[in-house]
Amino acid sequence: MTDELYTRIVYDGLEAPSIAALPGMKARCIIVDGFSKTYSMTGWRLGFGIMPRELADRVGLLLTHSIGSTAHFTQFAGIEAITGPQDMVAAMVTEYQRRRDVIVDGLNSLPGFACQKPQGAFYAFPNITGTGMSSDQLANLILEKAGVALLPGSSFGKFGEGYLRLSYANSIENIEKGLERIRTIL
Ligand SMILES: Cc1ncc(COP(=O)(O)O)c(C=O)c1O
C-alpha cells in the first residue's frame, strides 16, 4: 500500500515517482490518495484508492458497509478539483516552497536548532538536541510560553525523539510571528 497524498507537493523541480510505476508493480500496489493536501480540502473527508479491479470490488463492499458512502456533494467537489484547471496547484507549491525557505532559515537561526530542507510536503522537522531539552519538554514549553502549537518528534515513535515537527501550511507573516515568539523563550 502506497500513501501518495503528498506526491504533487514537491520542491526544487523534483518529482516523487510512484512505486506502482515500476515494472510489474501496478498489479501489486494499492495507491491511496486524497484531496486534503493537493487541493487544500482538509476536513472534506474525501479520498480514493487505485488498485486492481478484483480488489476494488471487495474494497467497495467493505466501504459500503463500514462508512455507507461519501456525501454526494463532496464527491462532486472532488470531480471538480481533479478535472478543473490545475494552475492553482502549481501556484500553491511555489508558495509552499517560499514558506519552507522562510521557516527552515528561521529555525536554523534559533539556538540549539538544526533543520534540513524538506523536498516535499509542508513540514519542517528540526533537530533540537542542542537545546538540551527532550522534544516533549520543548514542545510543551513552546505551546505554553510562546503559544505556538507543534508536535514533538517522539509522537512519531522513538526515533523521532530529539526533533520537533512544524507545519508551514500557514502565511509567511504567521510563520515569522511564530518563529519570533519561539526565539523570545529560548
Ligand atoms: C501522509 C498522509 N496520508 C494521509 C493523510 C490523511 O488525509 P485526509 O484523511 O485528510 O484525506 C494525511 C493527513 O495528514 C497524511 O499526512
Side-chain angles (χ1 to χ4, degrees):
M1 186 175 290
T2 164
D3 179 338
E4 303 196 350
L5 225 74
Y6 289 105
T7 43
R8 292 185 58 196
I9 306 181
V10 283
Y11 309 120
D12 309 320
L14 293 168
E15 279 184 25
S18 172
I19 191 171
L22 293 176
M25 289 304 288
K26 205 162 139 195
R28 301 175 64 191
C29 286
I30 300 174
I31 297 173
V32 290
D33 205 337
F35 298 81
S36 300
K37 319 295 173 188
T38 308
Y39 301 104
S40 302
M41 287 167 65
T42 312
W44 290 63
R45 314 316 309 140
L46 184 66
F48 57 92
I50 304 170
M51 64 201 84
R53 158 67 51 196
E54 330 71 84
L55 197 53
D57 291 340
R58 308 311 291 175
V59 170
L61 284 178
L62 181 68
L63 288 180
T64 301
H65 294 288
S66 57
I67 60 160
S69 75
T70 311
H72 125 283
F73 57 87
T74 312
Q75 295 186 44
F76 277 107
I79 292 169
E80 282 301 313
I82 311 186
T83 58
Q86 299 295 302
D87 41 331
M88 278 313 294
V89 177
M92 205 56 226
V93 172
T94 305
E95 175 59 21
Y96 279 140
Q97 187 168 320
R98 270 180 5 107
R99 297 174 185 182
R100 173 201 67 171
D101 293 343
V102 169
I103 198 165
V104 169
D105 288 349
L107 289 168
N108 278 322
S109 74
L110 297 176
F113 280 59
C115 188
Q116 301 212 12
K117 251 185 199 173
Q119 296 178 323
F122 39 69
Y123 307 100
F125 204 67
N127 183 303
I128 49 89
T129 43
T131 63
M133 279 181 263
S134 73
S135 55
D136 249 354
Q137 279 171 329
L138 187 56
N140 283 331
L141 181 78
I142 291 174
L143 179 63
E144 283 160 22
K145 298 272 191 273
V148 176
L150 38 71
L151 283 176
S154 54
S155 60
F156 298 95
K158 66 178 177 190
F159 297 114
E161 179 48 49
Y163 294 83
L164 296 178
R165 191 194 80 161
L166 298 91
S167 163
Y168 50 90
N170 211 317
S171 66
I172 290 198
E173 190 193 351
N174 281 343
I175 289 168
E176 284 173 339
K177 214 184 281 177
L179 286 166
E180 221 24 68
R181 289 210 213 150
I182 296 173
R183 186 186 309 282
T184 57
I185 60 146
L186 288 175

